[in-house]
Amino acid sequence: MRRFLLVATCLAGATLAQAADAPGGEDPSILPAGQGQEEVFYACTACHSTAIIRRSHFPREQWDGLMDWMTEKHGMNPLEGAERTLIVDYLTQHFGPRAAPARGRNPFLN
Ligand code: HEC
């Protein structure tokens, strides 16, 4: 966290305006299209890029727990109610656990 703040402070002067609406030059289309895409993008990129999300594959309970962790440890605005459901649903649908390798399954019959 301390390192993060330091980096954020250094970058702030030069790129604050830019970083505020396009963290790391990303926009919502970097995430898979679907309901919740924009909500996730704007709720989650205040502090880090989407890379940390895109490389993750968690079951629903873990995404849900991460929302509390991000709030308690890192000061994210608490996500509650319908918005939380939308965001956790989106994350689970697009960044859920990887399916087990479908060995022996006919790829043409999927
Ligand atoms: C208030 C700041 C803040 C917000 C907003 C935020 N995060 Fe984070 N998040 C962090 C910090 C800080 C870390 C730790 C980064 C590190 O370890 O380098 C982190 C780490 C993570 C990780 C990695 C966890 C792990 O154990 O590998 C994931 C996944 C993640 N965030 C997802 C999200 C998602 C999804 C959202 C939006 C719902 C979000 N974050 C919003 C601050 C935030």
Side-chain angles (χ1 to χ4, degrees):
M1 191 62 191
R2 191 172 291 167
R3 198 185 52 178
F4 174 79
L5 279 179
L6 191 68
V7 173
T9 313
C10 295
L11 292 174
T15 56
L16 191 60
Q18 215 181 342
D21 55 347
E26 295 184 331
D27 68 63
S29 68
I30 194 155
L31 292 171
Q35 224 188 347
Q37 178 193 31
E38 292 208 347
E39 286 80 356
V40 167
F41 183 82
Y42 290 113
C44 306
T45 55
C47 304
H48 47 66
S49 80
T50 61
I52 203 164
I53 301 171
R54 288 180 286 116
R55 68 160 190 236
S56 303
H57 293 275
F58 300 137
R60 187 184 175 87
E61 315 78 68
Q62 205 172 334
W63 277 122
D64 199 56
L66 262 174
M67 298 301 100
D68 294 328
W69 179 77
M70 221 76 67
T71 298
E72 282 158 24
K73 291 273 183 211
H74 302 300
M76 181 174 84
N77 288 334
L79 281 177
E80 273 153 16
E83 194 188 7
R84 182 175 179 129
T85 308
L86 178 68
I87 285 177
V88 173
D89 281 352
Y90 176 89
L91 292 167
T92 309
Q93 190 186 344
H94 297 281
F95 303 99
R98 285 207 174 93
R103 230 179 289 146
R105 214 204 283 161
N106 184 336
F108 299 103
L109 292 179
N110 274 336

